[in-house]
Amino acid sequence: DTGVSQDPRHKITKRGQNVTFRCDPISEHNRLYWYRQTLGQGPEFLTYFQNEAQLEKSRLLSDRFSAERPKGSFSTLEIQRTEQGDSAMYLCASSSPDGGPVGEQYFGPGTRLTVT
Amino acid sequence: TQLLEQSPQFLSIQEGENLTVYCNSSSVFSSLQWYRQEPGEGPVLLVTVVTGGEVKKLKRLTFQFGDARKDSSLHITAAQPGDTGLYLCAGALTGNNRKLIWGLGTSLAVNP
């Protein structure tokens, strides 16, 4: 399977705990995106990497959220001191500037976070 | 301010009916994509439109990009229960091809 993968698929945590999610993009894609999505809504942009550089962060991304892509391949998204409002689906997507129209993104299956 | 307005937000129809979903903006996009998402899964890219006035067909789905590249529509002919899902449009603004602007989605239920 050469698609985008995310781990874990589901995470239940207690308020105040830290969680970390992993995303493995399509291997030849140099762009990687993190989104948050709540039920019935469209994805909300969180942050974007080109190779290992984090080029943009949403104002939605409080200082409790941090994302890394240390070698320009996989990425991690960490949420510290989780709150109930952090409960959502966290989606990762990757894209390539080559071989297709600008902006096409390929999504992973998402990580469903529930904060109790 | 929502840059991409999708309508309707919810749609429940019977199998065999036709439907159209709209995606509108006052902004000009260099490209616009349509995605379909099933519960518990990530969005899946259906089509990308790039040229104003462009029409693309994917089996029973017809996608159109407005002449001014500010709006798009998705028409489904003879809907089937397997078409049920959340349909999302997303556009790349001209001059900024790094980030997509997303609509809020249209939740479609096709009843057998």
Side-chain angles (χ1 to χ4, degrees):
Chain A
D1 184 7
T2 58
V4 178
S5 61
Q6 290 187 247
D7 184 69
R9 291 292 309 272
H10 303 275
K11 178 71 177 178
I12 299 174
T13 191
K14 292 187 177 180
R15 189 177 55 186
Q17 297 294 305
N18 299 342
V19 294
T20 300
F21 309 141
R22 176 178 170 127
C23 171
D24 286 88
I26 294 171
S27 58
E28 62 267 27
H29 285 183
N30 65 340
R31 296 177 178 177
L32 188 147
Y33 303 79
W34 284 100
Y35 293 91
R36 181 172 65 190
Q37 186 180 30
T38 52
L39 196 62
Q41 301 293 313
E44 290 178 291
F45 171 80
L46 293 178
T47 191
Y48 155 74
F49 289 86
Q50 183 160 310
N51 300 311
E52 65 276 9
Q54 188 174 21
L55 295 186
E56 192 165 346
K57 278 176 65 170
S58 166
R59 278 169 284 184
L60 292 173
L61 217 64
S62 75
D63 55 7
R64 296 186 299 106
F65 288 71
S66 62
E68 294 183 344
R69 195 182 183 198
K71 297 181 180 178
S73 57
F74 73 92
S75 175
T76 57
L77 177 69
E78 180 183 17
I79 309 174
Q80 295 182 327
R81 305 180 303 282
T82 53
E83 301 172 356
Q84 287 186 320
D86 297 331
S87 295
M89 175 78 90
Y90 289 84
L91 293 164
C92 174
S94 69
S95 72
S96 170
D98 304 319
V102 166
E104 286 185 347
Q105 297 184 7
Y106 295 85
F107 283 82
T111 294
R112 167 74 63 192
L113 173 66
T114 302
V115 182
T116 61
Chain B
T1 303
Q2 184 65 29
L3 290 182
L4 262 180
E5 300 283 346
Q6 266 191 259
S7 62
Q9 188 175 357
F10 300 99
L11 194 54
S12 180
I13 61 172
Q14 294 300 121
E15 183 176 0
E17 292 184 7
N18 301 333
L19 67 116
T20 302
V21 176
Y22 299 94
C23 185
N24 296 300
S25 177
S26 58
S27 301
V28 177
F29 296 100
S30 61
S31 69
L32 192 139
Q33 288 103 54
W34 285 93
Y35 294 78
R36 178 170 165 267
Q37 185 177 23
E38 296 191 25
E41 299 294 331
V44 175
L45 179 66
L46 296 174
V47 79
T48 300
V49 286
V50 180
T51 306
E54 182 176 6
V55 176
K56 282 192 174 179
K57 292 193 174 183
L58 188 65
K59 296 183 181 178
R60 295 175 292 100
L61 277 60
T62 301
F63 304 86
Q64 185 161 7
F65 202 14
D67 291 341
R69 291 185 288 131
K70 293 181 178 182
D71 54 85
S72 181
S73 63
L74 158 61
H75 183 79
I76 300 179
T77 303
Q80 298 178 0
D83 295 327
T84 294
L86 181 68
Y87 289 83
L88 295 155
C89 63
L93 291 172
T94 54
N96 179 354
N97 59 13
R98 300 185 306 182
K99 191 173 77 174
L100 292 177
I101 305 299
W102 289 84
L104 294 181
T106 294
S107 182
L108 171 65
V110 181
N111 306 302

